[in-house]
Amino acid sequence: MSQPTYLLALDQGTSSSRSIVFTPEGSTVAMAQKELTQIYPQPGWVEHDALEIWRIQLATAREALAKAGITAAQVKAVGITNQRETTVVWNRKTGQPIHHAIVWQDRRAEPTCAELRAKGLADTIRDKTGLLIDAYFSGTKLKWLLDHVPGARAQAANGELAFGTIDSWLIWQLTEGRVHVTDVSNASRTMLFNVHTNLWDEDLLAALDIPASLMPAVQPSASLFGEVAPALLGGAIPIGGVAGDQQSALFGQACFKAGMVKNTYGTGCFMLMHTGHSFQTSHNGLITTSAAQTTAQPEFALEGSVFVGGAVVQWLRDGLHAIQGSGEVQSLAQSVPDAGGVIVVPAFTGLGAPYWKPDARGSITGLTRGSTLAHIARAALESIAFQSAALLQAMSRDAVRAGGAQVSELRVDGGACVNDLLMQFQADLLGIPVVRPAVTETTALGAAYLAGLTTGVYRSTDELSDLWKAERRFLPTMAPERAKERMAQWEHAVRQTTL
């Protein structure tokens, strides 16, 4: 009998690193996870220790293989998915980072962004990269490192340094410094990459004074990125798939065709709509990004992010002490028939897409003498669905404007998608089915699928579409007029957060 074939996904996130062993059918065999230290040097700054990221990622990979009871010889390929935009610069000879990694949430590069806007580069950057000028993206973080780490500019000019997002850093380590590479989906988050040509853009590099020698080679998301050095996991394993976490989740949800949408309910919420080979500029507050690609031909997605999604449940627990554990929120919310007119807008750090109101602050409106903690808990939970509905409506408007159809269903994943009350309310607001898959670890699964495509485990994305299975479909039960009314109440509450 032939040896069973497994796929190993490395899922390097903001708060932890995980490794998951999957069967070719997409079932989870074993998982290992370790938390990552968060470093806050001053308000608005967030850093990670890149060497710690590598250490714990390798440790979870070894642990997952041990838990699965398999050897490297039984692993067909490794796939990598990662927190996006987080920026690492390291010395090519020593492999040592020149500074802590600057995390996607970090805002220190805002002065550089203001300069770019003042120079009138907003339209150029949007046309070439699909992105808005924002400190969220990697390019301005990279410039900050070159400007502020002593000797960095001189070393960069001499070709001694390498830049990478976390995928590049992990591949460098896994291949023992042999390969400096990234994929199109991660490259598209740097504000330095032309998503039409799939090349680093000389004008944008020049605008930020970044030498081209720093940049990794860019490949399709499903392609051979090198081999894991045999000493690390007990044998050489091809690295066959790489994608940023949200594009990987879109792929893991089998959203391969234009018009298909997924929403990840995590600390924040990230919604992506595949737009096929069509680069669409949003007229409704969304950004355009490269989707995970299986060929050299560019593919795109519209993306919107909600800053506070599941984090509102942590606020109920840690701020209001309304619950002791996050798992209690559904029963508390269900102890009342509705939110009793209460609306929570959790704009703790401003509002993201489609509003883009950085100065907005959280509010609770509609309180009466009869309002209880249960009403506030229900309203807090509903706020996740309201924000996601506003995103999906913006996407639908963009799709129709571009000659496509309105969105017909929403595929969901992430920690909060297990909450049935939330998913039902989401379907009610949207008036379309909300579909939860059998495997909700879609981010890691997407990386595994990409690696499997490269190494012949799967023949095509059609085969992956057949593997995707729904665990539950939530169908709308609310009258469309009532749903419209509820959204109008939400929008009214949003307006009040920025008075």
Side-chain angles (χ1 to χ4, degrees):
M1 271 182 72
S2 62
Q3 291 266 42
T5 299
Y6 297 98
L7 295 163
L8 174 63
L10 309 184
D11 182 357
Q12 204 299 300
T14 310
S15 55
S16 69
S17 293
R18 297 188 302 168
S19 293
I20 304 181
V21 177
F22 289 103
T23 66
E25 294 73 39
S27 301
T28 302
V29 180
M31 180 171 90
Q33 183 166 353
K34 291 188 189 301
E35 279 204 17
L36 180 60
T37 308
Q38 307 297 311
I39 302 162
Y40 304 105
Q42 63 185 63
W45 292 28
V46 191
E47 297 177 355
H48 287 158
D49 178 345
L51 290 169
E52 183 196 16
I53 286 176
W54 161 238
R55 254 192 333 270
I56 66 174
Q57 191 65 69
L58 179 62
T60 62
R62 287 171 171 165
E63 189 185 332
L65 291 178
K67 278 185 175 175
I70 61 171
T71 66
Q74 292 167 276
V75 179
K76 187 74 173 173
V78 171
I80 297 172
T81 183
N82 54 286
Q83 52 166 319
R84 303 173 303 172
E85 300 95 17
T86 296
T87 300
V88 191
V89 176
W90 65 94
N91 184 292
R92 288 180 181 274
K93 279 203 182 75
T94 65
Q96 292 293 307
I98 65 167
H99 189 275
H100 281 150
I102 301 183
V103 178
W104 59 273
Q105 298 150 310
D106 189 284
R107 303 302 298 172
R108 76 186 69 181
E110 176 50 39
T112 302
C113 293
E115 285 172 27
L116 294 173
R117 291 185 206 108
K119 286 177 183 170
L121 285 171
D123 287 347
T124 301
I125 286 172
R126 181 154 195 166
D127 291 345
K128 290 184 173 194
T129 70
L131 307 176
L132 305 169
I133 295 177
D134 196 89
Y136 175 28
F137 305 112
S138 315
T140 53
K141 301 180 197 298
L142 172 53
K143 177 175 164 52
W144 188 95
L145 287 169
L146 294 179
D147 289 344
H148 290 84
V149 176
R153 281 235 167 255
Q155 287 177 292
N158 292 334
E160 295 168 26
L161 301 182
F163 152 77
T165 41
I166 297 299
D167 56 307
S168 298
W169 169 244
L170 290 177
I171 293 166
W172 177 276
Q173 295 291 346
L174 287 164
T175 62
E176 295 184 335
R178 290 182 185 87
V179 182
H180 184 212
V181 70
T182 188
D183 93 296
V184 288
S185 70
N186 279 294
S188 77
R189 311 298 294 185
T190 60
M191 227 165 69
L192 300 168
F193 187 69
N194 188 315
V195 295
H196 306 280
T197 61
N198 277 350
L199 296 168
W200 298 115
D201 191 280
E202 290 176 12
D203 296 339
L204 297 180
L205 289 171
L208 286 166
D209 195 15
I210 292 166
S213 62
L214 280 165
M215 310 307 285
V218 185
Q219 297 181 190
S221 314
S223 59
L224 195 58
F225 291 84
E227 280 192 340
V228 177
L232 294 174
L233 295 175
I237 311 171
I239 302 166
V242 173
D245 53 11
Q246 300 311 321
Q247 288 99 328
S248 191
L250 189 71
F251 202 85
Q253 284 275 32
C255 293
F256 305 129
K257 295 188 174 75
M260 296 183 78
V261 186
K262 72 89 197 172
N263 195 26
T264 299
Y265 296 81
T267 306
C269 294
F270 292 89
M271 188 180 288
L272 273 75
M273 177 172 72
H274 210 295
T275 61
H277 300 299
S278 163
F279 177 92
Q280 289 181 24
T281 300
S282 174
H283 296 270
N284 293 283
L286 309 174
I287 60 172
T288 310
T289 196
S290 292
Q293 290 169 208
T294 59
T295 68
Q297 189 177 7
E299 292 183 51
F300 302 102
L302 284 174
E303 176 175 330
S305 39
V306 167
F307 295 156
V308 177
V312 75
V313 179
Q314 295 166 333
W315 169 72
L316 285 173
R317 183 190 67 199
D318 305 332
L320 287 191
H321 303 291
I323 50 175
Q324 287 187 305
S326 299
E328 295 169 28
V329 70
Q330 180 161 327
S331 54
L332 178 60
Q334 278 182 318
S335 67
V336 287
D338 53 47
V342 176
I343 295 180
V344 172
V345 181
F348 305 143
T349 53
L351 284 169
Y355 306 106
W356 296 111
K357 291 184 174 179
D359 301 330
R361 287 298 172 262
S363 69
I364 304 176
T365 59
L367 292 169
T368 67
R369 185 71 183 80
S371 300
T372 66
L373 266 182
H375 290 111
I376 294 170
R378 186 157 184 137
L381 208 54
E382 288 181 350
S383 75
I384 303 172
F386 277 126
Q387 292 178 95
S388 296
L391 268 188
L392 192 108
Q393 288 172 359
M395 278 186 179
S396 260
R397 287 195 295 274
D398 278 333
V400 170
R401 186 181 175 124
Q406 286 204 347
V407 177
S408 57
E409 74 168 26
L410 177 65
R411 295 186 174 186
V412 298
D413 53 70
C417 86
V418 300
N419 190 305
D420 292 350
L421 180 69
L422 173 61
M423 293 300 102
Q424 183 57 54
F425 187 61
Q426 189 72 86
D428 286 344
L429 282 182
L430 293 173
I432 59 173
V434 166
V435 190
R436 188 166 62 200
V439 180
T440 54
E441 297 291 352
T442 54
T443 303
L445 187 61
Y449 280 168
L450 287 163
L453 273 173
T454 301
T455 52
V457 176
Y458 312 111
R459 289 183 301 278
S460 67
T461 52
D462 290 344
E463 198 174 328
L464 297 176
S465 293
D466 292 341
L467 285 177
W468 188 90
K469 297 283 184 289
E471 177 260 326
R472 183 162 171 192
R473 294 173 72 84
F474 295 87
L475 302 175
T477 54
M478 189 183 283
E481 298 74 26
R482 178 65 181 142
K484 207 170 171 183
E485 210 175 276
R486 294 302 315 270
M487 281 305 295
Q489 291 164 351
W490 164 258
E491 296 295 346
H492 178 69
V494 166
R495 287 193 293 277
Q496 291 177 297
T497 65
T498 48
L499 287 178

